[in-house]
């Protein structure tokens, strides 16, 4: 059986699309020999590499997020619990971010019993960016939670994270889908791209925050296209998710639905190379 490598890209709330991909691999009995992740892909990848099945990750998310399709009564009922989970969205401007991610991470990563990279069931590589040098930083060893926090530190949203005397921010700034981290550790590489879907015809003006995050999206997509043109993964799964902003974490159910075509395309690709029926 060929060794599979799985790279999970960044995209904020759109990263929930990685969960159906993991469920498909579980269904087919395919366990990656290595996982790489950037930003939200780092967070989901850490859960998976620790031994949590895709369906359990979905349950964890659904238990603690308010879906946009749920009724008003359910939203009101769960609103208090949601605030307890993510913590108050109080600006943390002194340290360079708008939201303190501690409670968010502490809960979503609560299913992980292994605290270090070395203890994970699947080898894991996470990507962050050095704010002052602009360099890509690949994290593969040592404490896990600090590495995840560094990888998801979207500038202006989450505060930077200091590790080993480096100020680290969101890995998507330098490598939004880190399939290059899989090189030499697998025979078949799968890269899951959850970039923003196009919305032709829209003419409404974005908010200031949407402008900043959207501009990052545009630059990241352009950088990825250049990287893909030079050398791509064996299987590139593109889940274009329109209408979901980076911070739309309450829209997990909508993301799952948007991801269906990409998941089925991955199934077809795996069948084509003899890894599934």
């Amino acid at each position: 059986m060929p060794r599979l490598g799985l790279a999970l890209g960044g995209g904020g709330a759109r990263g929930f699309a990685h969960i159906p991909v993991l469920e498909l691999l579980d269904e087919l009995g395919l366990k990656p020999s290595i996982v790489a992740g950037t930003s939200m892909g780092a967070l989901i990848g850490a859960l998976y590499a620790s031994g949590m099945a895709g369906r359990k990750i979905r349950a964890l998310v659904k238990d603690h997020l308010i879906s946009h399709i749920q009724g008003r009564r359910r939203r009101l009922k769960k609103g208090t619990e949601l605030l307890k989970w993510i913590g108050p969205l109080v600006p943390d401007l002194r340290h360079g971010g708008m939201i303190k991610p501690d409670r968010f991470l502490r809960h979503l990563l609560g299913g992980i019993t292994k605290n270090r990279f070395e203890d994970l069931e699947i080898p894991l590589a996470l990507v962050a960016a050095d704010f002052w040098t602009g360099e890509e930083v690949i994290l593969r060893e040592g404490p896990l939670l600090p590495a995840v926090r560094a990888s998801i530190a979207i500038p202006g949203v989450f505060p930077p994270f200091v590790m080993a005397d480096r100020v680290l921010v969101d890995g998507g700034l330098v490598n939004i889908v880190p399939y290059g981290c899989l090189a030499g550790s697998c025979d078949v590489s799968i890269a899951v791209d959850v970039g923003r879907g196009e919305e032709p015809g829209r003419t409404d003006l974005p908010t200031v925050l949407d402008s900043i995050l959207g501009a990052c999206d545009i630059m990241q997509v352009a950088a990825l296209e250049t990287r893909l043109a030079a050398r791509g993964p064996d299987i590139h799964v593109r889940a274009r998710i329109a209408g979901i902003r980076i911070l739309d974490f309450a829209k997990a159910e909508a993301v799952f639905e948007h991801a269906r075509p990409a998941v089925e395309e991955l199934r077809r690709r795996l069948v084509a190379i003899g890894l599934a029926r």
Side-chain angles (χ1 to χ4, degrees):
M1 176 70 71
R3 297 173 301 162
L4 286 182
L6 179 65
L8 305 178
R14 298 191 301 265
F16 289 136
H18 295 313
I19 297 173
V21 170
L22 300 179
E23 290 175 320
L24 174 64
L25 296 181
D26 291 342
E27 173 194 333
L28 298 174
L30 299 175
K31 183 176 181 178
S33 62
I34 182 173
V35 174
T38 292
S39 197
M40 192 63 175
L43 199 158
I44 300 296
L47 287 166
Y48 193 66
S50 72
M52 185 177 288
R55 62 181 177 80
K56 289 190 176 181
I57 300 175
R58 181 191 287 254
L60 181 65
V61 168
K62 290 180 68 173
D63 283 346
H64 298 282
L65 287 179
I66 300 176
S67 171
H68 77 298
I69 61 174
Q70 291 173 323
R72 179 176 176 82
R73 179 179 298 176
R74 182 165 174 78
R75 289 200 301 271
L76 291 173
K77 180 179 178 181
K78 298 200 73 174
T80 301
E81 180 60 30
L82 181 65
L83 288 176
K84 291 179 181 177
W85 176 48
I86 64 174
L89 302 185
V90 176
D92 188 23
L93 301 179
R94 186 181 61 176
H95 296 103
M98 294 177 62
I99 302 171
K100 293 183 178 180
D102 299 69
R103 294 186 188 178
F104 175 84
L105 286 174
R106 194 159 56 237
H107 192 95
L108 196 52
L109 295 177
I112 296 179
T113 57
K114 302 171 182 66
N115 297 319
R116 298 180 62 84
F117 280 87
E118 293 82 359
D119 299 327
L120 294 171
E121 294 190 12
I122 302 173
L124 178 68
L126 304 184
V127 174
D130 186 310
F131 181 81
W132 293 115
T133 68
E135 295 175 307
E136 178 178 348
V137 179
I138 301 174
L139 305 165
R140 301 177 185 267
E141 58 186 22
L144 180 60
L145 183 57
V148 176
R149 289 185 59 175
S151 186
I152 71 162
I154 303 171
V157 177
F158 294 142
F161 197 84
V162 178
M163 290 182 64
D165 297 325
R166 305 185 82 165
V167 179
L168 302 181
V169 293
D170 190 283
L173 296 176
V174 290
N175 192 348
I176 191 65
V177 186
Y179 57 87
C181 295
L182 307 176
S185 299
C186 65
D187 303 307
V188 177
S189 57
I190 301 172
V192 185
D193 173 11
V194 294
R196 184 181 66 173
E198 295 80 9
E199 299 182 72
R202 284 194 64 172
T203 59
D204 53 306
L205 295 177
T207 65
V208 173
L209 183 58
D210 284 340
S211 294
I212 295 170
L213 298 180
C216 287
D217 263 340
I218 292 169
M219 290 186 290
Q220 289 166 353
V221 169
L224 176 61
E225 292 299 332
T226 300
R227 198 181 297 251
L228 289 169
R231 183 174 183 178
D234 297 304
I235 299 177
H236 178 208
V237 179
R238 177 168 285 168
R240 287 295 182 225
I241 302 170
I244 304 294
R245 297 175 297 178
I246 285 177
L247 300 181
D248 280 341
F249 291 110
K251 296 184 177 180
E253 289 285 3
V255 175
F256 295 150
E257 288 300 316
H258 278 290
R260 284 179 180 269
V263 173
E264 289 308 310
E265 174 60 21
L266 175 58
R267 185 192 295 272
R268 288 191 289 270
R269 296 289 299 275
L270 292 171
V271 169
I273 62 175
L275 290 177
R277 295 183 179 179

